Amino acid sequence: MTEARAILRFVRVAPRKARPVIDMIRGQQVPMAFAMLKHTPRHAARVVEKILRSAVANAEQKEMGDSESMVVSKAFVNGGPTYKRFRARSMGRANAIQKRTSHITVIVTAPAVETKSK
């Protein structure tokens, strides 16, 4: 089987919020994954849909076949760098705010295409 991947790095979604969305599409057929992401009311779903579209486009560029037969074989989220900010609090104090980022990877595979030999 051949595979194509797409990686989106430094995306401003916390990894713990993106992981449930990624877990939902792992192992699904690509059309089913798109349908699930379209009806998921989370910000991470829009981001993952964009990455999945990129992985499918990469697969079509490699001439792996039709996107209808492709499967999301691997999908995972790794933590990226954390932006550290401070918010003013009462009595001259400050609280730390951590804005987390993610590196999201989606890999799609297509079933092996049999070639006819003469």
Side-chain angles (χ1 to χ4, degrees):
M1 284 197 291
T2 55
E3 64 180 32
R5 73 175 58 208
I7 303 171
L8 182 60
R9 301 183 71 216
F10 306 104
V11 62
R12 271 290 293 124
V13 174
R16 67 178 292 184
K17 293 184 178 182
R19 282 190 184 110
V21 176
I22 284 289
D23 293 342
M24 190 172 61
I25 66 163
R26 190 180 298 118
Q28 298 287 332
Q29 294 279 336
V30 167
M32 183 66 178
F34 278 131
M36 292 168 77
L37 290 172
K38 183 173 171 51
H39 295 96
T40 302
R42 286 177 167 260
H43 172 66
R46 304 287 84 76
V47 175
V48 172
E49 184 179 2
K50 182 178 177 181
I51 302 164
L52 183 57
R53 285 191 193 286
S54 178
V56 169
N58 292 343
E60 289 173 352
Q61 188 72 24
K62 292 170 85 172
E63 297 179 357
M64 288 173 39
D66 188 27
S67 65
E68 301 291 319
S69 63
M70 292 181 200
V71 176
V72 180
S73 60
K74 296 178 189 170
F76 52 90
V77 179
N78 294 326
T82 301
Y83 301 149
K84 295 178 176 72
R85 302 290 182 261
F86 290 97
R87 168 149 304 161
R89 305 304 289 188
S90 63
M91 297 168 62
R93 294 186 174 95
N95 278 4
I97 307 258
Q98 294 183 333
K99 295 178 179 273
R100 300 188 186 275
T101 62
S102 303
H103 302 320
I104 304 175
T105 304
V106 174
I107 301 173
V108 296
T109 57
V113 178
E114 299 172 11
T115 58
K116 294 181 182 178
S117 60
K118 292 186 177 181

